């Protein structure tokens, strides 16, 4: 039992040291860099766009859907980073390994906006369009900007996952529990 405890203590000590090193690297090379400012700009601009163009009467339903998407995208992203499938550089916030502008702003807000556009259009087609744009334009752009680095991952792998995320968001957005009592 004591051996397991010392193994865990050693692990957490190493993890703590790495977190401190990451924080120093973030302060020295990331914060206030142009890529950091780009992340801040993405978050601010997307929030303003969503506030301006959302259907006001659907705000609660859309926020609920956006929260669902943000949690799902963040969870999947954490798994990918943990497994070494990809990594992010120039994180806006150094406390996680996720890229906040992507997981908490770009993916949820873009889906919330797409849900409002042509609401009667086939959701599978909308999901394919969304996933295609995100997988084959968005992710390569993040790679080109040196923010996202796929390691054991191809853009095509993201495509079906993003279709499923969109379809799940579509399903959540249609729940009738949003009706007023």
């Amino acid at each position: 039992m004591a051996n397991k405890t010392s193994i865990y203590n050693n692990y957490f000590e190493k993890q703590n040291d790495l977190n401190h090193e990451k924080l120093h690297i973030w302060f020295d090379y990331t914060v206030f860099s142009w890529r950091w400012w780009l992340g801040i700009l993405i978050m601010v601009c997307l929030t303003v766009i969503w506030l301006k163009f959302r259907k006001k009467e659907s705000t609660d339903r859309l926020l609920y859907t956006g929260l669902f998407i943000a949690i799902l995208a963040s969870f999947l992203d954490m798994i990918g980073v943990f497994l070494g499938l990809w990594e992010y550089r120039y994180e806006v916030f150094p406390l996680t390994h996720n890229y906040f502008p992507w997981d908490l702003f770009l993916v949820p807000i873009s889906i919330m906006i797409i849900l409002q556009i042509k609401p009667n259009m086939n959701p599978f087609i909308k999901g394919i369009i969304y996933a295609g744009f995100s997988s084959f334009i968005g992710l390569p752009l993040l790679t080109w900007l040196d923010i996202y680095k796929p390691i054991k991952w191809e853009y095509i792998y993201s495509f079906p996952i993003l279709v499923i995320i969109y379809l799940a968001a579509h399903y959540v957005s249609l729940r009738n529990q949003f009706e007023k009592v």
Side-chain angles (χ1 to χ4, degrees), residues 148-160:
Y148 167 74
K149 182 181 177 190
I151 299 170
K152 298 174 190 169
W153 194 258
E154 301 292 330
Y155 301 128
I156 189 72
Y157 302 160
S158 296
F159 181 81

Side-chain angles (χ1 to χ4, degrees), residues 1-69:
M1 190 68 129
N3 191 21
K4 287 182 183 178
T5 302
S6 65
I7 290 171
Y8 277 114
N9 288 342
N10 187 34
Y11 166 77
F12 288 117
E13 187 177 311
K14 287 179 184 177
Q15 185 178 30
N16 191 40
D17 291 343
L18 287 173
N19 286 340
H20 285 292
E21 184 177 345
K22 179 182 178 179
L23 187 60
H24 288 295
I25 291 169
W26 184 79
F27 275 120
D28 292 342
Y29 298 103
T30 301
V31 71
F32 305 125
S33 69
W34 71 267
R35 288 178 182 94
W36 183 84
W37 282 112
L38 177 65
I40 298 294
L41 184 67
I42 289 169
M43 293 187 308
V44 170
C45 288
L46 285 170
T47 301
V48 169
I49 289 169
W50 185 77
L51 288 171
K52 183 171 174 93
F53 293 107
R54 77 187 190 286
K55 291 182 181 176
K56 310 293 189 271
E57 65 278 0
S58 298
T59 298
D60 292 341
R61 179 179 61 85
L62 290 169
L63 284 174
Y64 177 76
T65 303
L67 178 62
F68 166 78
I69 298 163

